[in-house]
Each structure stands twice: as structure tokens, then as C-alpha cells.
Amino acid sequence: MSPEQEELFASVDALLEQVTADDGLPQPAERRRLRKAAGLSQEQVARALDVRRESVTSWEAGRSEPRPPKRAAYLRLLEGLAARHPEPPGAPELSESPASTAPATAAPASTAPAAPARVAPPPAPPAAVRPAARGPEAAVPMGAARRPSPKKAAARPPAPAAHDPRFADGPLVVLDGDANAYCVGGLILDCPAKDIVSLVEWALDEARLGAERLHRSGKDADPLVVLTAAAAERLGLPALLEDRRGLRLAEDHPAVRQITRAKWKLTRRGFGPWARVYRPAQSGQRRCVQFAVLPWGALDARAWGSAGQLPPAELARVLGAYATRVITPRGSTAVSGLELMTALRPPTRAVKDQHSGAWVSGPMPGSLTEPVDPAPPEAPDEHPVAAALHPRSHQRTPAEVLDEEAFDWIRDPQLLTDAECARPFAVGIDVNTAFLAAANRLIVGLGAAVRVAEPAFDKTVPGSWLIDLSGIEMDPRLPNPFTPDGTRPQGPAWYATPTVAYAHELVAAHGLPVDLAPLEGWLRPDSGSYLDPWYKRLSEAYKATMADLGIEPAMDEGEFLAAMETYKETDPSLAALLSAIKSTVKGGIGKLRERPQGAGYRPGERWPALERPTWRPDIRAAVISTARVNMHRKLVKTALASQQAPAPSGHLRFTDEALLPVALLSDCAVYFSDGPSPLDFLPRTAEGKPAPGTFRLGVSPGMVKHEGTQELLWAVKMLDEGHNPARHIKGTDAAIDGE
């Protein structure tokens, strides 16, 4: 294009920028269709418009709109593509990305009441999180609507018919020190409350807060009020909690006394970082408000990243997206992960009594309906079941306790081959949400375990098995899959069903001369895929948030690796949301075996967590067992695919050219490589595709991403000193228990 023509087009663009926003920009689905019809990538469009590829992704998903001068240029591109690629008559409308589709249970942002000087923003998709505003304007986003407290308002606007009007203002508010209550969707309410009791009453009687139940037999989510430091000060709360051990206000604090005088109650954890103020349900109606106090550490930075430092409006968007995609936060991400299990599979449902005809509470099929004690090998040392069998000083052996934990293994440096030492790089790959992937379609026990002597192994029956797997010999360069540290078992030990099933798989696949016969079992004949809804909801939340950050499943491997290098810098708010979702997975699984807390506890006593149906160490063991054998299965497939000679039957050994790891830490594996990228060492087929059964790069749970790269000598030094390179491969300490 000549300079003169460029100037003419620039003049046209300037005119186009002056037109109104109603400029005929196609719908997001049509934008995506036109680009794909022309065979253009998002990267090509982004380069032409001088924007980031993530911006094009957001435009095509409907999460954001282009602004001048990019808007006019983007419109011209789409008009040109539409002329070349008209939509076929009767063609179905393209679906939008998962991120733009809100679950049916999501609470919408409300519209503002009619007023001459106030205009409500158009309803945004509840699942979307808009980019954070920068600078002073972040406190009140442009175009946000302010709705007065209903006591001041002349009339309420009718709620959208598609959503529950009780929760028209969304699941939560973030309160600042100037009586502004920031809701999801940009709405700002006036909150006149000056103490905790009046704030509770405002949240229940005047604001329209909460969220619909996730299961028809479950419970609606209570309103959540998030208190910033300024709001806490305005309400008379201290900047820091003096009780650092109990993390709660003293019983004689004025706020606690006021709550008691007003006939409200606190749960046993009192008024701390996460507090619940309630009255007992009457006629089936709950009266409860949850509080998250930011200056007291309600949003742990290890789970929420920098979310606790965000401006109130931006924090409302992040927490609102978490509430919509996962669950309204009810405590730490670990607590929320466990609560999500119950919300998706409630323990009871309404059933009709055959004699009286009245509706009564009955157990929910497929759910955990009542607390059950663990089998003796499944019980932690301090549990009454274990304490009754062994003295306090006794160290239980593998034949006495189930030890299903994640890998923490390094290879003996003496076993490094010359070929491996000639590769200049150590490259780490990490399995996306490995524990979440392990929960998919996992059959777990729903009731108590039954002891069986010398049972015939059945991989469809969940439980714990006492069996000798020491006869299965591994290549010494590969970790043994039956122990967390990768060493060979020394005799009979307790294992969860997935581990024993994998042992049978190895024996059958490689013709190993081993006879596997369980000596004893604690088995659960009542079983089901209890975690499936939990997996589905968290998996969708994870993928939708990654899509918001520009990481799409349809990317090729090179695009994926490039995007993953910078995705956390795309939007800090979304990065905080992603961190919280991953912590919800890890913490929720951990909570299944919550240990006793508090200095006053004595081993052998029961503790509160034991009284809930979701205290199930056997389910935690099954998930971790599945994640560990999934990792080992891919290690073996990768080694087999990388060696030229087929493996002979009868043993599990590999040739020198086989690709074998040098370190493992939970879901991270470190390999030596000729290049710094995973693409430089992962085995491929003759067609250039990933070898079947091996690690695959991608965004979905169970696929892998690049964890980090270091020099060969760095990794060898770590091995020589007995340190795990997988813990430090990305330059920081990795989490030992995965995502």
C-alpha cells in the first residue's frame, strides 16, 4: 500500500471512530466464524490490529469489545471477510466459548432503578471477569450503576425472569469504608450499616444477595459480605486479631456482644477471618450471612495470589466469577472445595413417608450420607481406631497403614547414562490439575468398609488391599509406582484399589512372572462416582478461566507453549482467580483427611471433622493413588515410545536411548533434553503427533505444560546433593502435593 493510500485510510478510520457504538459490529460468534472461514489465526488478526492475541480471544468470546481506534479497523476487517465468506443459509449459530456461558445457577447482576441521572450497565455474562481498571478510576468502574439502599429507593426494578429475583444483586458484595457495596457486574449499592448487626440485617432484608443451589436437594448460598480494611475499621473491628492462635475476636469484644444481644449466633469458630452470623432456620428459611475480613487474612495469598490487594470493584468481579464458576466462598479454598462436593451431591433429599404421607428427609443415592469410621489401615495415627490398636510410640509399618501419597523421587546420579549427560538441558513438565484429572470417573466407596480375608482382587471394588507387590521389578532408572519415594516395597503393604489395579496391568502388559494375591482387604461394596460432578464443575471453571487468559484447547503445541510463558501477566485478577481454582482442587482433596487442630488435642480423641460424611481418608487415598499411577503409566509409555528396539517380554527394563525421568515431585517430571522446550524431547509418531499414551501438551486437566528449564550441570548438582530438581526447576519451590 502506498503512503498516500495509507493516509486516506487513516482519514477514513478517523471518521469511523466518530460514529456511535451502534456500528454494526457482528456478534462474537460471527466474528469467530468469519476469521475461521478465512483461515486466519487469532495471532494474525492481532498483529494486523496491533493488539495482543488475548484481546482478539476476548472479542470473539464476548468478554470485551474493541475500543477506538482499533474498533473501526476491526469492523473493516470483519466487513471484508463477510463479503468473501457470507454465512450459508440456515447455518447453525456458532456457540461461544465456555467462558461466556454462565451456569444456570449463577446469580446475575441487577439493573439499576430508573432515574434521570443513573444508567445501569448492560447485563454482563456472570462467568466473565473484565480486565482490571488501572489508576484511580479502578475504585468506581466507568459506567457502573449505583443503586441506593432500598430504604431510599422509590421502587425496585423487576428482576430478569430467567433468574431468581431473591438474588438479583449477585452472590456477594465487597464493602469499602465509604458505605459503598460493590456487586458483581459493576453495580454499587449504598450500605448505611455502621455495625455488624445492622450490616447483617441489611444484607438479608434490603440487599438481594445470595445464589441459587447447585442441586435441587441442596441449599441456596448465603450472602457473602467482604470487608476491606477501611470497612472493618468503620464497623469497629480491629486492624489485626490479637488471638493469633484461635484467629477470632474475644468473646467480650463489643461486636461479639452486640451480635449476642441481638439474638444472632456465631459458629464454633467465632468471629474470625471467615465468620458466619445466623439464626436457626424457621419454617425451612435460613437466616445467615457470611463475612470475609480481608485485613485478617481471609484471602490467603498462597491460594488467592494478589486478590486481597485488589480495589473493591475488581475484587468483587474476581470473587463473583469464583462464586459463579465454582461456589460462593465459604472459607479457605480448601473449605470451599469440600463444600462444593456437598453442594453438588447433598447427603439427603425429600422423600414421602409411606405411612404418614408426609415429606421427610431421606438419604440421597450416590452421595456420602453419614459419617463412617475408616478401616484401621486408613486411619491416621491419632484417630481413635488406630490409637486403640497401637501404643502412642508405635511406628506403623507398611503392613499396618495405607501410605498413598504423591511422588517425591530422584534418580541415583550413578545411574545417569553417557547419552543423558550429553544433553545440555533439564526440562520440567507439569500435569495440569493432576488430582482433578484423577477424580474423573473414579469409583469410590460410599459407605463403611467390610473386612474380607484373602479376597479375589476386583478393580471395580474400591477399598484397601494388603498385598505383596515387591516381586514386580522395575528398571532402576524408573521410580517404583508402589511407594511415594519410588523405592521397591519390601513385602506386603496396604494399597488403594487403583494401585493394585495398575500392578495387575503391568504384569499383564509386560508378561511379568509375578503372582498377585491379596492377603486381606477392607472393601466397600457400596460405591459410585461421587466426585464426577465436582470434577466437571472445577474442570469447566479451570478451562473457562484459562480461556479468559487466552489459553484455548484448540491451540497447537507451539502456540500453547508461547502463550503459557506470559499468561499470568495478561491480567493479574484472572491469574488470582486461576490460582484459587487450582487451590480449591488441592485443598478439597486434602480436607477429606483433615487432621486435628489446636494445642489442646490429645491423640485418641475424636475431633470435629470426624463427624461429617466428607471425612473420608480412603477417597483421598484413591485420588492420590490414581494420580500417581497415571503419572507412572505415562513415564513407561514415554520410555517405550522413545526407544528403537521393542521391549522384550518378562521384565520392565529399557534400552540406553529410552527417555527416562531424573526427578519427580507429585505432578512434575524432569527430563534431560537436547533443547530447552518440551517439544525437544517428547516422543512423536512418524506423522509428527504425540506418541500414544505419552505426555501431551495442552490446557485440559491431565495434559501437561512447561514447568521450567535449567542447565544440565545445575540438575546434576542437585541430584548429587540429594535435592529434588523438580522442586526448583521453575526457579521457585514447587508444591509437593501438586495443584
Side-chain angles (χ1 to χ4, degrees):
M1 184 184 298
S2 68
E4 181 181 359
Q5 199 169 19
E6 288 181 354
E7 291 180 9
L8 290 173
F9 274 114
S11 299
V12 170
D13 289 342
L15 289 174
L16 289 172
E17 291 164 19
Q18 297 176 23
V19 301
T20 64
D22 188 15
D23 54 7
L25 196 66
Q27 291 298 310
E30 178 65 3
R31 302 169 198 173
R32 186 182 184 92
R33 185 195 73 80
L34 289 171
R35 176 182 58 78
K36 286 181 170 290
L40 297 175
S41 69
Q42 291 179 336
E43 185 65 38
Q44 288 174 296
V45 175
R47 282 199 300 268
L49 299 176
D50 195 23
V51 296
R52 294 180 305 175
R53 184 187 51 75
E54 290 81 1
S55 297
V56 179
T57 301
S58 294
W59 299 344
E60 292 184 352
R63 293 187 293 272
S64 65
E65 291 293 313
R67 293 179 173 274
K70 312 296 184 185
R71 186 181 182 93
Y74 187 45
L75 176 60
R76 180 167 24 164
L77 170 66
L78 294 175
E79 288 176 340
L81 295 179
R84 292 169 173 79
H85 304 283
E87 187 171 5
E93 186 173 322
L94 290 176
S95 61
E96 296 185 8
S97 72
S100 63
T101 305
T105 55
S110 76
T111 56
R118 300 292 182 190
V119 179
V129 182
R130 290 187 293 278
R134 301 291 178 247
E137 66 273 18
V140 183
M142 184 177 296
R146 177 183 293 277
R147 180 167 67 77
S149 173
K151 289 183 178 179
K152 303 176 184 178
R156 281 187 182 274
H163 297 285
D164 194 325
R166 296 173 300 160
F167 311 131
D169 291 339
L172 56 89
V173 294
V174 178
L175 193 62
D176 69 7
D178 297 320
N180 298 313
Y182 295 84
C183 303
V184 179
L187 181 70
I188 307 173
L189 307 181
D190 290 326
C191 176
K194 296 182 179 179
D195 55 57
I196 293 295
V197 168
S198 60
L199 181 54
V200 169
E201 293 169 349
W202 173 84
L204 290 172
D205 300 331
E206 300 179 18
R208 299 176 293 185
L209 299 174
E212 296 176 73
R213 63 197 68 187
L214 299 180
H215 188 283
R216 60 180 299 179
S217 296
K219 299 174 182 178
D220 294 329
D222 299 317
L224 171 62
V225 178
V226 182
L227 302 179
T228 62
E233 181 181 3
R234 182 172 182 265
L235 296 168
L237 301 179
L240 294 173
L241 286 174
E242 294 182 2
D243 180 4
R244 302 307 300 166
R245 181 181 293 273
L247 286 178
R248 65 183 67 192
L249 286 178
E251 296 294 327
D252 60 353
H253 189 276
V256 177
R257 293 205 307 267
Q258 183 197 37
I259 290 170
T260 304
R261 284 197 304 269
K263 307 300 183 184
W264 292 95
K265 296 180 179 292
L266 291 165
T267 59
R268 284 183 297 185
R269 60 185 176 186
F271 203 104
W274 289 91
R276 187 170 294 182
V277 181
Y278 72 99
R279 282 181 179 149
Q282 295 182 350
S283 302
Q285 297 296 313
R286 288 166 60 84
R287 298 280 290 171
C288 178
V289 176
Q290 299 178 102
F291 288 92
V293 188
L294 297 183
W296 298 352
L299 298 182
D300 190 330
R302 291 171 296 181
W304 285 96
S306 60
Q309 309 303 317
L310 293 173
E314 188 64 18
L315 180 58
R317 287 195 285 267
V318 172
L319 292 177
Y322 183 89
T324 299
R325 294 177 179 179
V326 183
I327 193 172
T328 301
R330 303 183 184 183
S332 67
T333 50
V335 169
S336 297
L338 195 70
E339 292 280 353
L340 181 62
M341 295 180 194
T342 302
L344 294 169
R345 285 201 187 268
T348 59
R349 62 172 177 169
V351 296
K352 185 171 285 190
D353 185 272
Q354 294 182 351
H355 301 290
S356 66
W359 288 97
V360 296
S361 179
M364 172 69 73
S367 292
L368 305 179
T369 59
E370 60 182 2
V372 296
D373 277 341
E378 298 164 352
D381 291 343
E382 59 270 42
H383 193 280
V385 168
L389 296 175
H390 307 287
R392 185 173 177 181
S393 59
H394 177 71
Q395 295 291 321
R396 290 196 285 174
T397 66
E400 296 171 330
V401 62
L402 182 70
D403 186 26
E404 294 284 14
E405 299 295 342
F407 273 128
D408 187 357
W409 168 85
I410 62 173
R411 197 197 303 178
D412 183 345
Q414 300 299 319
L415 297 176
L416 297 177
T417 66
D418 292 341
E420 288 174 325
C421 292
R423 298 166 185 158
F425 297 102
V427 181
I429 53 175
D430 180 80
V431 180
N432 301 323
T433 56
F435 292 165
L436 183 62
N440 186 22
R441 298 192 297 273
L442 178 65
I443 302 300
V444 300
L446 300 178
V450 178
R451 186 178 184 181
V452 182
E454 298 183 352
F457 178 69
D458 184 344
K459 66 180 181 180
T460 67
V461 177
S464 300
W465 309 77
L466 180 64
I467 187 171
D468 189 353
L469 302 180
S470 62
I472 299 179
E473 185 179 358
M474 292 281 159
D475 190 305
R477 297 169 294 166
L478 198 65
N480 190 290
F482 310 126
T483 61
D485 63 2
T487 59
R488 189 173 181 174
Q490 298 301 305
W494 285 98
Y495 302 99
T497 296
T499 301
V500 184
Y502 183 57
H504 281 267
E505 178 184 322
L506 289 175
V507 169
H510 301 278
L512 305 181
V514 180
D515 182 27
L516 301 177
L519 305 175
E520 184 181 349
W522 283 92
L523 311 180
R524 290 177 165 82
D526 183 13
S527 62
S529 52
Y530 171 74
L531 293 173
D532 267 10
W534 188 79
Y535 161 81
K536 183 177 180 181
R537 188 162 178 87
L538 284 169
S539 174
E540 290 176 349
Y542 171 78
K543 289 187 288 187
T545 306
M546 290 298 282
D548 284 343
L549 286 162
I551 312 296
E552 301 277 2
M555 286 178 165
D556 64 37
E557 292 174 319
E559 287 179 325
F560 171 72
L561 290 174
M564 288 295 293
E565 289 294 323
T566 58
Y567 79 100
K568 290 185 178 179
E569 288 72 44
T570 300
D571 189 320
S573 300
L574 287 173
L577 174 60
L578 182 68
S579 174
I581 292 171
K582 293 193 291 188
S583 293
T584 301
V585 174
K586 179 174 63 177
I589 296 300
K591 276 282 185 180
L592 291 168
R593 196 188 66 170
E594 183 177 359
R595 309 300 277 268
Q597 302 174 18
Y601 175 77
R602 296 291 178 269
E605 298 176 350
R606 296 188 71 84
W607 60 94
L610 303 186
E611 309 311 319
R612 65 172 190 244
T614 50
W615 193 85
R616 292 294 300 272
D618 58 295
I619 296 180
R620 173 188 178 273
V623 171
I624 296 176
S625 163
T626 301
R628 194 182 67 247
V629 301
N630 283 350
M631 170 68 88
H632 197 273
R633 184 180 291 110
K634 284 184 167 57
L635 298 176
V636 171
K637 294 286 188 182
T638 299
L640 292 172
S642 60
Q643 65 182 17
Q644 296 179 359
S649 180
H651 61 77
L652 256 172
R653 291 184 178 273
F654 307 97
T655 61
D656 284 350
E657 77 264 14
L659 188 65
L660 294 163
V662 296
L664 295 174
L665 186 70
S666 186
D667 47 15
C668 177
V670 177
Y671 284 89
F672 287 159
S673 171
D674 291 325
S677 167
L679 292 175
D680 293 318
F681 70 87
L682 291 178
R684 321 288 291 187
T685 64
E687 295 77 23
K689 296 181 179 181
T694 63
F695 296 105
R696 297 189 64 180
L697 291 164
V699 69
S700 298
M703 300 179 80
V704 299
K705 59 181 178 292
H706 183 204
E707 181 74 354
T709 297
Q710 301 287 344
E711 294 181 352
L712 168 75
L713 294 179
W714 171 90
V716 172
K717 184 174 184 291
M718 295 281 287
L719 294 174
D720 284 338
E721 295 175 352
H723 302 307
N724 193 331
R727 189 184 299 275
H728 310 280
I729 192 71
K730 63 180 178 182
T732 58
D733 285 355
I736 190 169
D737 47 355
E739 294 181 342

